[in-house]
Each structure stands twice: as C-alpha cells, then as structure tokens.
Amino acid sequence: MFQLTIMANPNQEIIYKKLFINNEFVDAQSGKTFVTLNPQTGKPLAEVAEADKADVDLAVKAAKKAFERGSAWRDMDASQRGRLINKLADLIEQHKSALANLEVLDNGKPFAEADFDIQCAIDTFRYYAGWCDKIHGNTIPADGGSLAITSKEPIGVVGQIIPWNYPTLMVSWKWAPALAAGCTIVLKPAEQTPLSALYAAALTKQAGFPSGVINVVPGFGETAGHALVIHPDVRKVAFTGSTEIGRLIAENAAKSNLKKVSLELGGKSPLVVMQDVDLDEAVEIAHNAVFANHGQCCCAGTRTFVQETIYDAFVAKSVELTRKRKVGNPFADDTLQGPQIDAESQQKILKYIELGNKQGAKLECGGNKWGNEGFFVEPTIFSNVTDNMTIAQEEIFGPVQSVIKFKTLDEVIERANKTSYGLAAGILTKNIDWALTFARAVEAGSVWINCYDAVTPQTPFGGYKQSGHGRELGEDGLEPYTETKTILVKLPTKN
Ligand code: NAI
Ligand code: MG
C-alpha cells in the first residue's frame, strides 16, 4: 500500500502569508501586517497580512457573490460538493508534513500531536463529504389535505472565528459542515496561529472550489473578528474560544442583524475516578485528560475527582507519571509537552498556580515556568484541592491538574455539576450502574466512560450551560448551517 512519509522539519518554508479572498492571496487594504511568534523561542516566525473591516467587507462580498442564485456553487450537484470536499481531504493528506510542521512552528505542539490533529481534520472532511447528498427534508401529512415538504437549505454566508489551540482541526470542524450544507465562508484564524489556515486555503483552490466559497482573513479579534460578527450580509457566526468573547459575540450578533450564532466555549470538566478502577490505567487516562496539548484544550478533564479510599495512592502515582513527562523542543521525538501559546497565557497559568498555593492546595510537582526561552510551564499537580478554590472553578488552560477527594457517587455528581460550565465529563469505573447513573446526571455535552477526549467526526460535540450553544460534528453539526424551508402545495379537493 502507498504510504505517505511524514517528516518533521523545523525549517519548513512559510509560503502563504497573505489574506485569501476570492481564491487569490492578497495584501491587506491598509498594507498592514502582524507578526506571528514561534512559542518555543518567543521569537518572530512570520509577518502576515492583517485584515480589518475593509478586507472583511471584500471577503464577505466575495462569499455573497459565490452564494448568489446561478453561481457555480449554488448550481453544483450536492454529490459534486462531496467530491470537492474529498479532494480537499486528499490534498491535506498529501501535504500533511508541511501542515504539521507549520502547526508545530506556529503553535508549539509536539510534532506527533500535530500529525494526529491533521489526521483528525482529514477524517472530519471525509465524514462531511459523505453528507452532502444526504441532507434532506421530509414529506409531511399536513392538515387540510395539502402536500407539505421540507427542504434543508444552506444558511448563506457564514463567519467563522477560531482559536489557536487546534488550528487545522478547528478549520476542518468549521469548514466541513458549512461546505457540506452548501454555505460560503469567511474564516478568521487566531492571531497567534494564522499559518495553517492559509495553507489549507491554498489547497481549497487546488481542489477546485469556486472563487469566493472559502475566504480567510487573518487579523485580530477586535478588528477583523468584530467586523465579521457585525456584518449585515453574514447570516451566521460560528465561534470557538473563551466564554467572555463568546458572550460578546452573541450580544454583537444580536445587535447587528440578529444573525445566528453557535458557540463552543470553555470548560472545567470533571473526571471521576471510582475506587474499583485499575489504578495505573486510571492514573494514565486522568493524566492525559489534563496534560494533552499542554492543557490547552476546551474539554480538558481538569477537575480530577478521586474516591477517598484510593486518593493517596492515586496522587502518588500521578506525581510519578507527571515527573516523567518530557518537556522541551516540540520537534524532538520524545517530547510530550511543548510551550504554551504565548507569554500572556504562560503568565495567566503561573498566576493560577500562585493562587492554588495561596488558597491552601498542596503543590505536589511542577509549579514554575520551564527553561530560559519560550513560553513553557512545568507539568503541575495540586492535591487537597477543594471546590471553592479558584483553581477548581476557573479555566486555567495550562498543564495543571487539580486532584479532588470525594466519598460517594451522589456527592460527586452534585459537586461535578457545581460549575457554570458543561462541556465534557468522564467517569472511570468497572461498575455499569455507577457509570450510567453518572452519565445521566452530569450536565455536560459529552460524557466519556472509561476513556477521555474521545472526540470523533461522527459524534456531536458541544456544551451545556456557559460552555456554549449548538453542536459541532456528527449529523447535529449540520444543523447550525441549514435553514428548514416548508413548501406547502394546495391540492384539488377531489382526487
Ligand atoms: P479569545 O476568545 O479571545 O480568542 C478566540 C478567537 O476569538 C480569536 O480568533 C480571536 O481573535 C477572536 N476574538 C477575540 N475578540 C474578539 C471580538 N471582540 N470579536 C470577534 N472575535 C474576537 O481567546 P484567547 O484570548 O486566545 O484565550 C483566552 C482564554 O480563552 C484561554 O486562556 C482559554 O481559557 C480560553 N480559550 C478557550 C478555547 C476553547 O477551545 N474553547 C480556545 C482558546 C481559548
Ligand atoms: Mg504563532
């Protein structure tokens, strides 16, 4: 079988640094650029064209034109849309090394994780490619003897604003369902990680998407992002990021043209470890639930609830495992943890660690910045954490595990739900009654039993409470990109 060789290359050439509008790479109208950093060194990596309102206006205009009646995209068979999305997935696969290298340089995640993310992006495109010609409505026995049918229509021009923690994966989560539904897109990548979205944009042109269907406008949130959110021709905004900005976007979208909004926001997800587990296995699952992607994961299982009978042993083994976690150069084969995304994020994490210490949690390992350059933080564990401590309530978005003691299942369900968030939850146990009781009672969009972070293209993902609105992935993930139209035909009374 043909095997692609994936090659780590810290000297990956950065080709695409301009805005992508109407299938062309162009400078910003203002001529402005901004610098994206390499978080491993803290030094500039590339200068990228900086979009603001004027460029967003052009991108939306292109997307609107691509969506007009009679356009190539609107007239395209749904099955052909599917072929284009599959072609894009094939091209991403062929360019996997380049994309993974850009991801490591721009974001700092270890190469193996970047490689995995890009595979997940490919899988997501292929999953939604299959949906294109299977999105359909119903025939309904309406009152009055009429014939009623519904169709699912694309919502129109969509604005998509994504964060920096999974740059290429977030592109796929946003583009794939929107394209499957037949929408046209203006995407703003995070200012910290614009490079892989621009590379992916180049591949959409190569795949044969008509001009204007996909546009990418790197820039800042308050300028380019805001312009997209309030644009009168944008029918919907999809956002992943902080709860604070999610709230602001919902407000601004409502104030402008009441555009629809889907939000995938933060979390403070509980992972419950019952006393009947295999301890080594549980320690490892809980460890990865927190430390994957350096803790920069919206669904990270940051509140590790451990039943009191195994608590001390669990903490001891977790510390042993975490001390071994290799931090350093993300291009090195054995590195499990690279730098955090930027200095601000590093400082925020160190502040939370300081608060943990001040409020009486016990620092078991880590607790400091790591190395002399870049934005690294040591993998950190706190034990004796109580529910009211700030580190047990707020999203740290860094490599910090809080191990919390509990006695009974009922008690832990109540405590797990005592948060404004509700993105994900997990339970580790061999007892099916305990597992399913927890799964039914916990207020979270995803519940994982005897695993964690099991996100697949086929299964919906999104939050309860302040973790967001709407779902991504799976069939549910199409919903935010479609409108339901009812067509009712009056039939002659005699038949
Ligand atoms: P953020 O929410 O500010 O940024 C996410 C995206 O929103 C970026 O593309 C940004 O440019 C854009 N944005 C910012 N302000 C905007 C505005 N007024 N209008 C439109 N778009 C805007 O998140 P940030 O500052 O990168 O991270 C702060 C914290 O947010 C993190 O420490 C973490 O707690 C949380 N976060 C959660 C993520 C998740 O996956 N749910 C991802 C990234 C951050
Ligand atoms: Mg960067």
Side-chain angles (χ1 to χ4, degrees):
M1 205 180 85
F2 173 65
Q3 283 272 318
L4 283 168
T5 321
I6 305 302
M7 293 274 289
N9 174 15
N11 299 315
Q12 174 70 43
E13 192 190 351
I14 298 167
I15 310 168
Y16 304 110
K17 297 182 252 187
K18 295 187 179 186
L19 319 179
F20 185 75
I21 297 176
N22 216 19
N23 267 2
E24 299 300 335
F25 282 98
V26 294
D27 289 319
Q29 299 282 293
S30 66
K32 277 205 276 186
T33 59
F34 68 102
V35 171
T36 183
L37 301 177
N38 177 342
Q40 186 195 349
T41 57
K43 303 216 167 84
L45 176 64
E47 259 186 52
V48 177
E50 181 187 330
D52 59 25
K53 183 179 178 304
D55 310 288
V56 169
D57 285 348
L58 282 180
V60 173
K61 200 170 160 199
K64 193 178 173 192
K65 190 152 178 45
F67 192 73
E68 270 174 4
R69 269 182 77 205
S71 70
W73 183 242
R74 281 297 281 276
D75 281 353
M76 190 179 284
D77 282 343
S79 59
Q80 176 60 15
R81 281 208 307 275
R83 279 193 285 277
L84 285 184
I85 299 175
N86 266 324
K87 182 82 197 293
L88 175 62
D90 292 346
L91 286 169
I92 294 175
E93 196 166 43
Q94 284 163 30
H95 291 254
K96 208 176 184 197
S97 291
L99 276 161
N101 284 318
L102 287 179
E103 209 81 319
V104 178
L105 288 168
D106 213 5
N107 166 284
K109 64 178 71 197
F111 185 79
E113 283 201 35
D115 181 21
F116 178 77
D117 285 4
I118 288 156
Q119 186 55 50
C120 293
I122 294 165
D123 295 345
T124 304
F125 279 115
R126 290 194 173 134
Y127 169 77
Y128 279 109
W131 265 112
C132 293
D133 54 4
K134 298 165 196 75
I135 301 170
H136 53 69
N138 285 316
T139 312
I140 299 169
D143 282 353
S146 350
L147 170 68
I149 54 175
T150 57
S151 61
K152 296 279 182 188
E153 299 195 346
I155 198 163
V157 178
V158 299
Q160 303 182 321
I161 299 174
I162 59 172
W164 42 263
N165 50 347
Y166 295 93
T168 308
L169 188 59
M170 284 300 108
V171 164
S172 74
W173 284 28
K174 296 289 180 277
W175 286 359
L179 294 171
C183 297
T184 59
I185 295 168
V186 180
L187 173 120
K188 193 198 84 62
E191 53 272 32
Q192 297 89 341
T193 54
L195 300 179
S196 53
L198 292 173
Y199 199 103
L203 299 181
T204 64
K205 182 172 181 176
Q206 204 181 325
F209 283 92
S211 299
V213 171
I214 296 158
N215 305 274
V216 180
V217 286
F220 293 89
E222 314 83 75
T223 50
H226 184 67
L228 203 47
V229 169
I230 61 167
H231 201 294
D233 290 331
V234 172
R235 296 278 174 83
K236 182 225 153 54
V237 167
F239 170 75
T240 300
S242 62
T243 301
E244 182 197 351
I245 298 297
R247 183 174 284 113
L248 187 67
I249 285 177
E251 278 171 27
N252 289 333
K255 276 190 225 146
S256 59
N257 59 346
L258 208 57
K259 58 176 67 63
K260 294 179 170 61
V261 175
S262 51
L263 305 170
E264 203 267 90
L265 309 175
K268 194 70 196 172
S269 299
L271 173 58
V272 171
V273 185
M274 303 300 290
Q275 63 194 11
D276 65 339
V277 291
D278 174 311
L279 199 57
D280 289 324
E281 211 179 297
V283 162
E284 196 178 335
I285 292 173
H287 174 87
N288 290 327
V290 179
F291 293 108
N293 208 34
H294 325 159
Q296 303 170 137
C297 178
C298 49
C299 56
T302 46
R303 288 186 296 151
T304 313
F305 283 100
V306 180
Q307 206 157 11
E308 63 176 357
T309 45
I310 58 165
Y311 185 84
D312 291 342
F314 185 95
V315 170
K317 277 184 184 283
S318 296
V319 170
E320 200 186 319
L321 183 62
T322 302
R323 285 216 169 104
K324 282 194 231 145
R325 192 168 181 83
K326 179 83 174 28
V327 181
N329 174 5
F331 281 105
D333 281 347
D334 57 348
T335 295
L336 291 175
Q337 184 174 310
Q340 307 306 127
I341 191 67
D342 55 20
E344 192 186 332
S345 188
Q346 182 194 40
Q347 285 312 313
K348 175 180 150 186
I349 296 161
L350 293 172
K351 265 246 132 44
Y352 276 116
I353 293 174
E354 202 182 307
L355 272 174
N357 282 321
K358 264 198 196 141
Q359 294 178 356
K362 182 173 175 215
L363 183 69
E364 297 277 355
C365 62
N368 300 300
K369 80 187 190 71
W370 182 97
N372 298 321
E373 61 166 15
F375 310 125
F376 295 85
V377 176
E378 290 175 348
T380 299
I381 298 185
F382 279 108
S383 65
N384 295 349
V385 177
T386 55
D387 298 350
N388 55 348
M389 290 178 185
T390 312
I391 55 167
Q393 291 187 346
E394 293 182 13
E395 186 172 52
I396 302 174
F397 232 60
V400 183
Q401 183 171 25
S402 293
V403 193
I404 313 175
K405 197 185 283 183
F406 75 93
K407 280 198 174 92
T408 69
L409 182 62
D410 280 340
E411 170 208 324
V412 80
I413 287 170
E414 198 188 320
R415 292 170 64 191
N417 283 337
K418 251 193 202 148
T419 160
S420 57
Y421 293 116
L423 190 56
I427 183 164
L428 310 180
T429 176
K430 296 195 173 79
N431 184 315
I432 191 166
D433 290 346
W434 292 347
L436 292 181
T437 301
F438 177 80
R440 287 178 70 161
V442 74
E443 295 171 331
S446 294
V447 185
W448 293 302
I449 300 174
N450 292 330
C451 56
Y452 203 82
D453 275 339
V455 178
T456 78
Q458 298 82 12
T459 47
F461 182 84
Y464 280 39
K465 300 193 276 185
Q466 291 185 39
S467 288
H469 291 173
R471 293 291 177 271
E472 298 190 278
L473 303 179
E475 186 176 359
D476 294 47
L478 291 164
E479 205 275 334
Y481 294 104
T482 55
E483 292 279 18
T484 299
K485 179 176 279 174
T486 300
I487 301 174
L488 197 137
V489 188
K490 177 137 179 41
L491 296 176
T493 39
K494 279 190 194 152
N495 46 18

